[in-house]
Amino acid sequence: MIKGCIFDLDGVIVDTAKYHFTAWRRLGREFGFELTEKQNERLKGVSRMGTLELILDWAGIEKTESEKFEMTERKNVWYRERILEMTESEILEGVMPFLEDLRAKNIPFALGSASKNSIPILNQIGIKDYFVDIIDGNRTTRSKPDPQTFELGAEALNLKPEECIVFEDSQKGIQAALSGGFHAVGIGKQEVLSKAHLVIPNFIGRTFEEIVELL
Ligand code: BG6
Ligand code: MG
């Protein structure tokens, strides 16, 4: 029986991928690399350092550990400038009614995101206190597709993986949910997230019961 939910943040609750993209592209341009939208798709769900390593690999560039650290810090300064301007108007359409529906039905939910900026983002958009717990990149040691993020989320909800739905927009996140034994709902395009148990374009007009039924 499904009793709780775990939500990814970037791409599920807010569309921060566009801000990550702008900041990474700015960094890439410093060494003559033009990040494409298609490449950006592959960066969804990947940790900050993992992302830089992929970009450096695509650009054919090697950097020392301390240079890489400095680059990720700099990218994060640009990214934070943007996210600290976010308001609740950036919550994706359909998300708030869905969360309110869960709350009204006492269905607990947690956040499960790779982002170390999860708490500032949730504060900006005013929904931090909606979550039983916030499992973010500061609390995990293994990145998606490892299921650790969602396992910690299930623990926080006091539920087993098979009792939770994971909502994810990235292929790596769906892989993580599947390998952990969760119900995986993709938010986005069927062709990108085809491995998920169910794919919906967004939360508009959805209810918990309807999604459970479709699984
Ligand atoms: C994920 C995003 O949620 O968080 C990735 O999909 C991002 O694109 C990762 O790299 C880490 O984010 P942050 O905020 O810690 O740099
Ligand atoms: Mg995401």
Side-chain angles (χ1 to χ4, degrees), residues 85-151:
E85 288 172 356
M86 288 177 83
T87 67
E88 62 181 45
S89 67
E90 292 193 51
I91 299 174
L92 291 170
E93 207 185 338
V95 169
M96 280 320 288
F98 191 77
L99 297 185
E100 296 292 4
D101 182 51
L102 294 180
R103 282 204 336 168
K105 291 166 182 160
N106 286 321
I107 295 155
F109 54 94
L111 192 91
S113 166
S115 175
K116 293 182 174 170
N117 291 300
S118 294
I119 291 184
I121 293 173
L122 292 174
N123 276 329
Q124 283 300 122
I125 60 174
I127 58 168
K128 181 170 153 278
D129 296 339
Y130 276 56
F131 297 87
V132 170
D133 203 354
I134 294 159
I135 313 299
D136 66 8
N138 299 298
R139 293 181 58 186
T140 53
T141 49
R142 300 188 300 274
S143 310
K144 299 170 189 176
D146 187 285
Q148 187 194 35
T149 307
F150 302 135
E151 284 166 356

Side-chain angles (χ1 to χ4, degrees), residues 41 168-172 174 185-200:
E41 192 59 45
E168 255 294 345
D169 71 312
S170 72
Q171 293 174 345
K172 289 213 165 46
I174 294 293
V185 176
I187 304 295
K189 296 197 177 103
Q190 176 66 40
E191 60 269 30
V192 178
L193 304 170
S194 57
K195 298 220 165 65
H197 294 121
L198 168 73
V199 181
I200 53 174

Side-chain angles (χ1 to χ4, degrees), residues 8-14 16-17 44-46 112-114 144 167-170 173:
D8 174 45
L9 175 64
D10 296 317
V12 170
I13 293 177
V14 282
T16 41
K44 291 184 180 171
V46 181
S113 166
K144 299 170 189 176
F167 294 98
E168 255 294 345
D169 71 312
S170 72

